[in-house]
Amino acid sequence: MTEEVCGLRTPYLLFIGDCTEPGYAKTAFGLRDWAGDKCVGEYALPGATVSTGLPRMDPAEAAARGAKSMVIGIANSGGRIAPQWLPALEMALAAGLDLVSGMHAKLGDLPGLREAAEISPGRLIDVRQPPAELPVATGRKRSGKRLLTVGTDCALGKKYTALSIAKSFAARGVASDFRATGQTGILIAGAGIALDSVVADFAAGAAEVLSPDNFDDHWDVIEGQGSLYHPAYSGVAMALLHGSQPDVFVVCHDPLRTHVLGHSEFPLPDIEQVVELTIQLGRRTNPAIRCVGVSLNTSALRLDEANDLLAREAVRLRMPVADPIRRGDLFDSLVENCLAP
Amino acid sequence: MTEEVCGLRTPYLLFIGDCTEPGYAKTAFGLRDWAGDKCVGEYALPGATVSTGLPRMDPAEAAARGAKSMVIGIANSGGRIAPQWLPALEMALAAGLDLVSGMHAKLGDLPGLREAAEISPGRLIDVRQPPAELPVATGRKRSGKRLLTVGTDCALGKKYTALSIAKSFAARGVASDFRATGQTGILIAGAGIALDSVVADFAAGAAEVLSPDNFDDHWDVIEGQGSLYHPAYSGVAMALLHGSQPDVFVVCHDPLRTHVLGHSEFPLPDIEQVVELTIQLGRRTNPAIRCVGVSLNTSALRLDEANDLLAREAVRLRMPVADPIRRGDLFDSLVENCLAP
């Protein structure tokens, strides 16, 4: 179903343009790290100094090796597509590859690209574009199990945590799907819905479509968006919570963040506040909702500081507290808590 | 500012087509009742048996009397524009009137209408279409006072209550604006944003744009949408609450409704639950938020039953409980409670 929702054809060729700043190639690195089995190689222009380490090849060669899409792996500030990339993008279309972008600018709005797509077998795909005919949510209880990552704020590890849990589920032989709600997640999963781009009346409906009925022991691991305490994105978080009807949720938090990113007059809520409010509101569509743990992004702390903090918070909050990157043993107990009956 | 947001030119000519069913002419009646000073007359086709009682005239005559727009005052089931109306709609454009619709179907998608608009001075205006460049919400505290109508569900009097309060404010000489968030409200106000049609990420931002900074003693009376307990529309209600940052709110309720309209497995929340949750969540963008009363739609009750209920609920909830239609004295005390310091 979600293949239809987004319709990405894999495997990918990763386009890194003439990039010289690794920070801008986050999308390409994310795909290499989380969807390496879906990547046949990278295509760089002369002048590029950044590399994913994947084999270099041009679109025709990638197509010959089975690639179905070329993904723009660069997200520079402003989300623009550089004019000097256009010949390379047209070459991909001519080679029969779909051209896939998670940027704000629509591919079809670029001069010449729409025309190039019309005369070539490849399609233009903007993954931020939600499907056209989303339904209004019904609230009907669906079969299967669902996990949602929520947060004390935006941009502190909700996607990373969901991907880590889905990977851990897979390693344990638990049937599961990572359900992407943002552009990078969609590229990694090869499917999903950019929830922030859905018209407000259909946002909960989109979340319902994203995690349809499934086998009773199947888990959808749903990437969270926004935060119930965010002055701009609380509506998205609310719609995603009600539409996802999660059985369990994990709270993601950055221990060094004190205020909402970009909104310095809004203090971050406590983890406990987020746990309580998520249960209070989530009960509306799943009375059995429970919190199974906290995912802390401790990347800015020394290992001994991180260990101290993880231990202290686990005692204080009386639940598993882990960093998906560090101390796999703690993360294991968080994952086991999801699966506890 | 909101004139720009929506850009409706008044006064209106109300188009009632060939309507024979008063229930379908709700939009025309609503405009007559709530924006009578903005209506110069009605235009009916042969066969129409419904009338607003306003003077009948054709578009050219209406234009001569100062009309700037012809509003489609009919909302039949399905929200369609009947083919036999097209010549009349084209006539309005030719007379220099804007053609205004709150229906789902876009005017420009109708055969011939886009072409007719191109060669005439009148414009096609779909009021459900939100403005193109809405910002992400900032959460910044704005000057002026704000009232939001919230509800235990959809479709139980949030617009009607807000309009009644705005009228009562005006009668008391309180500077105020009714801020419309749905298509009928927008037609009545001549401005507004159809919040249900805004992309989720910008919904709170749209609410901020809708009620901008104002004089300290000025009130924006904001039409609520959805409900925090609605499985499909809770996200819209949340975004509107955070973006509106209301100082006071009124809970609207239908005493005979037991379940969410169209969602029979969801019991309606108690009024108290809505009061508590609205305060709990609303505090995020306005720590001083308070509930000033309850608006009950008692239209299905006999007057004595209604009187009993209003009195009983006022004692139970310890706040003004009124029906804007019945017992003006009770409604007066609700309005006075809004203005209490």
Side-chain angles (χ1 to χ4, degrees):
Chain A
M1 177 122 199
T2 48
E3 283 298 326
E4 245 187 282
V5 165
C6 190
L8 294 184
R9 298 195 303 152
T10 59
Y12 300 139
L13 172 65
L14 304 181
F15 178 67
I16 54 174
D18 48 0
C19 188
T20 56
E21 167 53 53
Y24 289 162
K26 266 172 64 178
T27 307
F29 290 130
L31 284 168
R32 177 199 61 191
D33 293 345
W34 287 105
D37 57 329
K38 288 179 183 154
C39 302
V40 299
E42 71 174 25
Y43 178 38
L45 298 178
T49 56
V50 168
S51 173
T52 60
L54 293 169
R56 291 214 165 177
M57 59 189 73
D58 68 19
E61 197 181 342
R65 295 200 189 182
K68 297 282 186 273
S69 303
M70 183 166 89
V71 175
I72 298 176
I74 305 298
N76 48 21
S77 64
R80 304 265 204 74
I81 287 164
Q84 67 269 27
W85 298 352
L86 283 172
L89 305 185
E90 290 177 18
M91 206 188 298
L93 290 169
L97 301 182
D98 289 345
L99 189 56
V100 179
S101 163
M103 298 176 119
H104 272 294
K106 280 196 197 167
L107 289 169
D109 291 343
L110 289 169
L113 214 51
R114 184 192 299 269
E115 294 73 12
E118 272 165 12
I119 57 163
S120 76
R123 302 171 300 164
L124 302 180
I125 297 181
D126 294 290
V127 299
R128 284 204 165 201
Q129 205 57 25
E133 299 274 317
L134 288 169
V136 165
T138 66
R140 182 183 63 80
K141 181 86 178 86
R142 306 189 293 284
S143 54
K145 293 282 193 183
R146 282 163 196 85
L147 178 150
L148 177 67
T149 54
V150 303
T152 52
D153 194 6
C154 294
L156 39 62
K158 289 191 285 286
K159 177 177 76 253
Y160 200 99
T161 300
L163 284 163
S164 301
I165 292 171
K167 191 177 170 187
S168 189
F169 276 179
R172 284 155 202 261
V174 176
S176 70
D177 283 293
F178 167 72
R179 299 298 189 186
T181 58
Q183 69 271 21
T184 308
I186 292 172
L187 291 168
I188 291 169
I193 302 177
L195 213 84
D196 59 3
S197 304
V198 173
V199 164
D201 250 12
F202 304 103
E208 290 188 346
V209 167
L210 186 68
S211 73
D213 280 304
N214 218 315
F215 298 109
D216 286 344
D217 57 353
H218 175 279
W219 283 85
D220 272 343
V221 182
I222 303 161
E223 175 192 5
Q225 290 292 335
S227 148
L228 293 169
Y229 286 87
H230 197 289
Y233 305 127
S234 58
V236 174
M238 179 79 130
L240 185 55
L241 175 60
H242 278 165
S244 296
Q245 50 182 235
D247 301 281
V248 304
F249 66 94
V250 174
V251 179
C252 303
H253 179 61
D254 175 345
L256 297 185
R257 198 173 297 180
T258 56
H259 289 78
V260 174
L261 205 62
H263 296 261
S264 56
E265 68 280 39
F266 286 89
L268 224 61
D270 296 339
I271 292 170
E272 301 93 301
Q273 287 178 297
V274 173
V275 171
E276 274 170 38
L277 186 60
T278 304
I279 291 173
Q280 183 189 350
L281 298 175
R283 274 189 183 140
R284 184 66 171 159
T285 56
N286 190 340
I289 187 172
R290 66 191 173 95
C291 181
V292 290
V294 173
S295 175
L296 290 186
N297 178 346
T298 67
S299 54
L301 302 180
R302 288 197 321 267
L303 182 57
D304 60 326
E305 290 172 332
N307 280 338
D308 273 2
L309 180 70
L310 293 169
R312 225 168 39 233
E313 288 292 88
V315 169
R316 187 175 73 85
L317 298 165
R318 281 181 263 179
M319 61 175 95
V321 177
D323 180 330
I325 306 281
R326 288 169 158 174
R327 295 287 307 273
D329 58 326
L330 297 180
F331 193 67
D332 279 349
S333 48
L334 188 155
V335 170
E336 272 151 28
N337 200 17
C338 302
L339 301 171
Chain B
M1 176 118 201
T2 49
E3 282 300 326
E4 245 188 282
V5 165
C6 191
L8 295 184
R9 298 194 303 151
T10 59
Y12 301 138
L13 173 65
L14 304 181
F15 179 67
I16 55 173
D18 48 359
C19 188
T20 56
E21 168 52 53
Y24 288 163
K26 265 173 63 177
T27 307
F29 290 130
L31 284 169
R32 177 199 61 190
D33 293 345
W34 288 105
D37 56 330
K38 290 179 182 154
C39 302
V40 298
E42 72 175 25
Y43 177 38
L45 298 179
T49 56
V50 168
S51 174
T52 60
L54 292 170
R56 291 216 165 175
M57 59 189 74
D58 68 20
E61 197 182 342
R65 296 199 190 185
K68 297 282 187 273
S69 304
M70 183 167 90
V71 174
I72 298 176
I74 305 298
N76 48 23
S77 65
R80 303 267 203 73
I81 287 164
Q84 66 270 26
W85 299 351
L86 282 173
L89 305 186
E90 290 177 19
M91 206 188 298
L93 290 169
L97 301 182
D98 290 344
L99 190 57
V100 180
S101 163
M103 298 176 117
H104 272 293
K106 280 196 198 169
L107 289 169
D109 291 344
L110 289 169
L113 214 50
R114 185 192 297 270
E115 293 73 12
E118 272 165 15
I119 56 163
S120 76
R123 303 170 300 165
L124 302 179
I125 297 181
D126 295 290
V127 299
R128 284 205 166 202
Q129 205 59 23
E133 299 274 316
L134 288 168
V136 165
T138 65
R140 181 183 63 80
K141 182 85 177 85
R142 304 189 294 286
S143 54
K145 294 283 193 181
R146 282 162 195 85
L147 178 150
L148 177 68
T149 54
V150 305
T152 53
D153 194 6
C154 295
L156 38 62
K158 290 191 285 285
K159 177 177 75 253
Y160 200 97
T161 300
L163 284 163
S164 302
I165 292 171
K167 191 177 170 187
S168 189
F169 277 180
R172 285 155 202 262
V174 175
S176 70
D177 283 294
F178 167 70
R179 299 298 189 185
T181 59
Q183 69 272 18
T184 307
I186 292 172
L187 291 169
I188 291 169
I193 302 177
L195 213 86
D196 59 2
S197 303
V198 173
V199 163
D201 250 12
F202 304 103
E208 292 190 349
V209 168
L210 186 66
S211 73
D213 280 304
N214 219 314
F215 299 108
D216 287 345
D217 57 353
H218 175 279
W219 282 85
D220 272 343
V221 182
I222 304 162
E223 175 192 4
Q225 290 292 335
S227 147
L228 293 168
Y229 285 87
H230 197 288
Y233 305 127
S234 58
V236 173
M238 179 78 131
L240 185 55
L241 175 60
H242 278 166
S244 297
Q245 51 181 236
D247 301 281
V248 305
F249 65 94
V250 174
V251 179
C252 303
H253 179 61
D254 176 345
L256 296 185
R257 199 173 297 178
T258 56
H259 288 78
V260 174
L261 204 63
H263 297 261
S264 56
E265 68 280 37
F266 286 89
L268 224 59
D270 298 337
I271 292 170
E272 302 93 301
Q273 286 177 298
V274 173
V275 171
E276 273 170 39
L277 186 59
T278 304
I279 291 174
Q280 183 188 349
L281 298 175
R283 276 190 180 138
R284 185 66 170 159
T285 56
N286 189 342
I289 187 172
R290 67 192 174 95
C291 181
V292 291
V294 173
S295 175
L296 290 185
N297 178 346
T298 67
S299 54
L301 302 180
R302 287 197 322 267
L303 183 57
D304 60 326
E305 292 173 331
N307 280 336
D308 273 2
L309 180 69
L310 292 170
R312 224 168 41 233
E313 288 293 86
V315 170
R316 187 175 71 85
L317 298 165
R318 280 181 264 179
M319 60 175 97
V321 177
D323 181 328
I325 305 281
R326 288 169 158 176
R327 295 286 307 274
D329 57 326
L330 297 178
F331 192 66
D332 279 349
S333 49
L334 188 154
V335 170
E336 272 151 31
N337 200 17
C338 301
L339 300 171

